Amino acid sequence: MNPRHLARLIYPEFRFGKTPLDQALKLVDAGVGGFCFYGGTADEVRDAARTLKDASGTPLLIAADYEDGVGRWVKGGTELPTNMAIGASGSPDLARRKGEITALEAKALGVDWIFAPVVDLAVRPANPIVNVRAFGADWRLAAELAGAYMSGVNSQGALCALKHFPGHGDTETDSHLELPEVNKDRQAFEDGELKPYRALARAADAVMVGHLKVPAYDAANPASLSGKVIKELLRGELAYGGLVITDALNMKALSGAGEPGVRAFLAGADILLFPEDPFKLLAALERAALDGTISEALVAQALARQDALVRKLSPFRSAPPPQDVVRCAEHLAWPAEAAPACLAWAYGGGKFTLKAGETAGYYEPGTAQKDWKGAAFIEALSGLGVRVVPYEPGRGLKLVAGVFSRPRAYSAAINLGPDERTDLACAIKGAAGSVIAAFGSPFVLDGLERRPDAALCAFCSLGEFQQCAAGVLAGTARAAGTMPVTLKDLS
């Protein structure tokens, strides 16, 4: 078997500031099918994509996790609202526009493939890795908005991928650190997590399979290494005929799994993403081909699915978007335009207001003043005539608490810790009135020892969303969104 055919199954990482270009060019020379980019400036991404593609003998695909726009990873790109913020709006138009902007900027930088949208459901408050990456808790909402997002991405000549099959929402474990297990029966999966895949799979360019164990389908293997999950469930029961990608194979969820790349391919994956050592994986694939474990027919089938996506892209390759579309005025203006539809009151709307001339005390639980993340929020309140000072209990001040909490790989936690909750309760007790502005996870509002008068959710920390939140509290803007998740303390 031609080793270059095996190499095309592999998509290594290219991490700016870490991956040497000459090492990546050696992988191109070996025949890898593409790369997953992380970080970089706009110029660096553009130059690296061009260099690697020019050096490849086959169409090289560049992918990236630009879930919240190019600017989430690339300096010089536009960062966009989280999926959960779009979920609060309930607007397919906003979801589609998010996909369009992301694809336009990605394509201008030479990136072909957006590993998004996330269609996991936000049903577990303590989930440290899904949370605001999800559109919400309801599969209907997730399917509608993810479908609109995919339409936007495809309309601008980029590829997308649904993730993380069969559903990573109902777990409290970060698969970057250890293997999560979802103990739900098949009917529970059928009634929830699988619904977005049933609705969207035929329109999806790819499905990414997660590193999680689902005993209802396979008690022995992670989904990403399971023929029962990929071949029987995804390709069989869901009748999905498209391309399957593994989640990153370097994640610690697969520790002790031997050579996970070979196992994933035999289980039904077509692309082996981000192995710990791409050359070691290639050697393992070659050994498996030599001893007959991997057949030429299976490899040809996987490459045919990859070729189909290359053909889908080909009409757009000759005329990529102009470079000045990246971080253009129209894209930069969009988050501010979207924000009012995305902000939502968790409770207490109208029970807390600020007026010009009032003094409000601001703080962020567990965060020193020098490390506060709410500069845009404070500045916007000040611009509306509210005097903002660091909060001190017992001074008769109104309390505005900004809470910034979002998924972070390898963090294993997302919401407020016990000390932060106690600190917040003491602050609320000593306030003349109080509000929490959640610029990230809405689940920080669960488990509070003392509830504030009101809680406003922005679902992301973009400056435009902070400014809109200030306007809502000061009465110059309206939070028109609806909570896309259920809070335990309010259910």
Side-chain angles (χ1 to χ4, degrees):
M1 186 183 302
N2 189 335
R4 296 185 66 81
H5 292 172
L6 295 169
R8 278 193 73 199
L9 306 173
I10 303 172
Y11 277 53
E13 77 159 335
F14 187 100
R15 193 172 295 270
F16 290 88
K18 176 183 175 182
T19 305
L21 183 60
D22 61 350
Q23 178 78 358
L25 287 169
K26 288 179 182 177
L27 289 165
V28 170
D29 188 56
V32 295
F35 289 87
C36 189
F37 276 12
Y38 297 90
T41 66
D43 287 342
E44 287 173 338
V45 171
R46 187 184 298 111
D47 291 346
R50 184 186 300 116
T51 298
L52 295 173
K53 288 179 178 181
D54 287 349
S56 181
T58 55
L60 194 78
L61 296 180
I62 304 297
D65 282 327
Y66 295 159
E67 292 176 14
D68 293 329
V70 169
R72 182 69 185 83
W73 276 102
V74 178
K75 293 179 181 178
T78 305
E79 186 171 0
L80 303 176
T82 61
N83 281 350
M84 193 172 285
I86 303 297
S89 78
S91 170
D93 290 340
L94 291 184
R96 180 181 170 87
R97 187 58 178 152
K98 179 179 178 179
E100 290 172 347
I101 293 172
T102 301
L104 277 167
E105 296 200 0
K107 293 293 291 182
L109 299 182
V111 174
D112 310 289
W113 203 341
I114 316 300
F115 285 161
V118 170
V119 291
D120 301 317
L121 303 181
V123 294
R124 185 69 73 95
N127 189 314
I129 202 62
V130 174
N131 206 280
V132 294
R133 297 169 70 196
F135 288 104
D138 184 80
W139 72 263
R140 297 170 190 83
L141 179 72
E144 181 180 25
L145 299 185
Y149 174 91
M150 290 163 55
S151 173
V153 168
N154 286 162
S155 73
Q156 303 305 318
L159 303 173
C160 58
L162 297 174
K163 62 186 189 185
H164 307 81
F165 188 81
H168 206 312
D170 199 7
T171 173
E172 295 184 3
T173 303
D174 180 357
S175 52
H176 293 85
L177 295 171
E178 55 185 307
L179 182 66
E181 185 166 320
V182 184
N183 289 301
K184 302 172 79 165
D185 61 29
R186 290 191 177 214
Q187 190 60 51
F189 261 93
E190 185 62 45
D191 292 342
E193 279 85 346
L194 292 184
K195 293 284 191 180
Y197 292 98
R198 283 198 184 276
L200 300 172
R202 289 188 178 182
D205 296 313
V207 170
M208 180 181 288
V209 183
H211 302 318
L212 61 154
K213 186 178 286 187
V214 187
Y217 297 106
D218 189 336
N221 301 294
S224 52
L225 308 184
S226 171
K228 292 180 180 179
V229 171
I230 299 175
K231 293 179 180 178
E232 295 180 18
L233 176 60
L234 179 57
R235 296 208 184 279
E237 291 184 33
L238 271 63
Y240 175 68
L243 188 139
V244 174
I245 316 170
T246 67
D247 206 345
L249 291 170
N250 75 322
M251 290 161 65
K252 290 182 170 54
L254 297 184
S255 295
E259 181 41 74
V262 173
R263 290 181 58 190
F265 178 74
L266 293 172
D270 302 300
I271 285 179
L272 309 174
L273 182 66
F274 192 173
E276 191 76 45
D277 185 333
F279 287 109
K280 182 179 177 181
L281 173 56
L282 179 56
L285 291 169
E286 290 173 350
R287 288 194 299 272
L290 282 172
D291 67 19
T293 303
I294 290 177
S295 71
E296 196 154 353
L298 274 181
V299 175
Q301 189 176 49
L303 294 183
R305 295 191 180 107
Q306 196 170 160
D307 288 338
L309 296 185
V310 171
R311 288 193 297 273
K312 182 175 180 177
L313 285 176
S314 60
F316 300 93
R317 288 200 153 205
S318 59
Q323 296 182 10
D324 60 6
V325 77
V326 180
R327 204 170 169 78
C328 66
E330 181 181 348
H331 293 177
L332 289 174
W334 184 72
E337 296 167 4
C342 299
L343 268 67
W345 286 104
Y347 55 83
K351 292 186 177 180
F352 183 96
T353 58
L354 293 171
K355 298 178 181 178
E358 280 192 295
T359 298
Y362 177 82
Y363 98 124
E364 297 176 14
T367 306
Q369 183 177 343
K370 65 180 178 63
D371 297 321
W372 282 352
K373 299 177 182 177
F377 183 49
I378 295 169
E379 183 178 352
L381 284 172
S382 300
L384 292 167
V386 179
R387 180 171 176 261
V388 182
V389 299
Y391 179 73
E392 294 180 33
R395 287 184 54 192
L397 292 172
K398 287 185 174 181
L399 167 66
V400 180
V403 183
F404 294 77
S405 179
R406 62 175 178 81
R408 295 185 305 277
Y410 301 99
S411 68
I414 184 168
N415 297 321
L416 296 174
D419 291 343
E420 292 168 319
R421 290 197 298 270
T422 298
D423 189 33
L424 182 56
C426 291
I428 292 170
K429 183 178 180 181
S434 56
V435 66
I436 290 177
F439 295 109
S441 171
F443 296 117
V444 296
L445 301 172
D446 274 335
L448 297 179
E449 298 173 26
R450 192 180 187 96
R451 278 179 52 180
D453 298 316
L456 178 64
C457 293
F459 309 104
C460 71
S461 61
L462 291 178
E464 296 86 352
F465 275 57
Q466 293 188 40
Q467 291 160 5
C468 186
V472 170
L473 296 184
T476 63
R478 176 174 172 262
T482 301
M483 291 296 290
V485 296
T486 301
L487 300 180
K488 290 188 301 183
D489 288 357
L490 302 181
S491 59

